[in-house]
Amino acid sequence: MELLDFCELNGRPAGKIVIMADCIWPENTFVPRFNILIYTNNGSARLEVNDRNYSMTPRSMSFIKAGQKVSVSEISENFHVKVLAIGGDLSQELSISSVFLTLFILDETPVLNVTDEYAEATSLFFGAMKRVMQFTANPYKDECILSLLRAFYYSTGYYLNKALGFDCERIYSLSLDHQQNKATIITSFINLVELNAKSNRKLAFYAERLDYHPRYLSAMVKKETGLSGQEIIDQYAILAAMAKLTYTRKSIKEISNEMEFPTQSDFGKFFKRMTGKSPLEYRKKARAVD
């Protein structure tokens, strides 16, 4: 489904970015060619994304990425949402770093229950977006909208990473430093790590794809960033592990298998080395805080 079709279904004029109070959803499963941000104010509904079921309840934020298979059903009578539909490649459009939003988390669970503080910020964001979109004569309207989206994107990333309880400032800074410079080997390495660290933690994997010897690649990365290639890989991998433990109900064994550790014991040792806690200790603490 294209954004134009979605707008026609809801009786709204089409645009690159469209905001809606309440929403009419297709009756059957659909695949949007645009991104959808949903904040649930009241009521409940069942959201199915790529054959996995989630519950949209009051004060939950849902992120649906272009190309995902989606259906919305079991909608309660008092169901009320705010919806932002965004066409195009969002990350390229906003020129933002993917790590701070923690795509790891959103890939695992596209529906998040948020705190009162974040809910208030979300309400203010939608209000600001609505106000800016009303200024049709403003020649800088698109730039204002993108700036608001960028601020919301980073605020969401801060909220998600803060909930993990892990200091990821070093890799966040690395990603920011190199995101604008697409030509360097360090940038290529970091981009590869962002995409693959969830399941591949071997430096040789990245060196082979970049056509460098592992020791030489690591030395270049160390000289540029202060961290060895393996240290950067491990930082991204532990973020993925923490996100899975915090935001999903998967067993520790399932997470270990998904991240392709040889055994659950190996996963436990890696996690303990990186965080000082076992996976179970970390999960219990994260859920107690939640």
Side-chain angles (χ1 to χ4, degrees):
M1 171 178 276
E2 301 296 336
L3 183 52
L4 174 62
D5 302 319
F6 187 68
C7 290
E8 287 181 353
L9 177 65
N10 281 275
R12 300 296 303 272
K16 195 169 187 179
I17 300 173
V18 180
I19 193 168
M20 302 177 186
D22 278 333
C23 187
I24 298 172
W25 300 99
E27 293 183 2
N28 301 313
T29 299
F30 68 105
V31 179
R33 301 299 176 190
F34 52 95
N35 303 281
I36 309 174
L37 174 66
I38 310 165
Y39 180 73
T40 304
N41 292 311
N42 293 300
S44 63
R46 183 172 69 88
L47 175 67
E48 185 174 305
V49 181
N50 289 343
D51 301 318
R52 292 165 63 183
N53 291 313
Y54 306 90
S55 295
M56 291 193 291
T57 55
R59 216 178 62 179
S60 70
M61 181 69 73
S62 307
F63 297 87
I64 299 170
K65 295 191 293 184
Q68 292 182 316
K69 188 171 63 173
V70 180
S71 71
V72 180
S73 60
E74 299 177 16
I75 301 172
S76 68
E77 289 185 4
N78 61 337
F79 188 57
H80 182 269
V81 295
K82 294 176 181 176
V83 175
L84 192 66
I86 309 161
D89 187 320
L90 184 59
S91 61
Q92 287 188 10
E93 193 74 37
L94 300 182
S95 299
I96 44 184
S97 164
S98 65
V99 63
F100 204 47
L101 177 60
T102 313
L103 292 180
F104 301 136
I105 299 171
L106 300 181
D107 284 343
E108 290 297 329
T109 174
V111 180
L112 301 169
N113 293 319
V114 300
T115 62
D116 289 337
E117 182 182 21
Y118 185 79
E120 181 181 359
T122 300
S123 179
L124 291 171
F125 164 73
F126 274 98
M129 288 290 289
K130 183 178 180 180
R131 179 63 63 87
V132 169
M133 286 181 168
Q134 290 172 342
F135 297 150
T136 55
N138 181 0
Y140 306 109
K141 185 179 74 170
D142 289 347
E143 286 77 5
C144 291
I145 289 172
L146 288 175
S147 293
L148 285 170
L149 276 172
R150 190 176 294 110
F152 186 72
Y153 191 101
Y154 278 116
S155 296
T156 300
Y158 171 75
Y159 167 78
L160 297 177
N161 279 301
K162 182 180 178 182
L164 294 182
F166 183 70
D167 182 8
C168 60
E169 181 152 349
R170 294 190 77 179
I171 57 172
Y172 169 50
S173 297
L174 288 178
S175 190
L176 280 182
D177 289 343
H178 293 281
Q179 65 179 325
Q180 300 295 343
N181 189 350
K182 305 297 183 184
T184 71
I185 186 62
I186 309 302
T187 299
S188 298
F189 172 70
I190 290 173
N191 289 340
L192 273 176
V193 172
E194 285 193 9
L195 291 172
N196 296 284
K198 282 190 288 186
S199 58
N200 202 309
R201 296 166 306 284
K202 293 182 179 179
L203 181 63
F205 169 87
Y206 301 93
E208 180 180 354
R209 278 150 183 76
L210 296 171
D211 199 23
Y212 284 92
H213 191 279
R215 284 199 297 272
Y216 181 69
L217 173 63
S218 189
M220 285 197 300
V221 172
K222 178 84 171 181
K223 181 178 179 181
E224 182 75 19
T225 68
L227 295 173
S228 69
Q230 190 61 57
E231 286 173 327
I232 290 177
I233 295 167
D234 287 348
Q235 291 259 313
Y236 277 88
I238 197 61
L239 273 178
M242 294 170 84
K244 289 172 184 286
L245 288 164
T246 302
Y247 293 106
T248 78
R249 298 292 173 181
K250 294 176 181 176
S251 70
I252 294 172
K253 182 173 178 58
E254 285 177 306
I255 294 171
S256 173
N257 291 340
E258 282 185 358
M259 296 190 68
E260 299 188 12
F261 280 88
T263 66
Q264 185 175 330
S265 176
D266 289 319
F267 173 61
K269 290 175 183 176
F270 169 77
F271 198 91
K272 182 88 170 181
R273 173 171 64 83
M274 295 295 294
T275 69
K277 298 181 180 69
S278 72
L280 183 58
E281 289 171 337
Y282 175 81
R283 170 167 269 177
K284 285 182 177 178
K285 182 177 179 180
R287 292 193 174 163
V289 171
D290 185 52

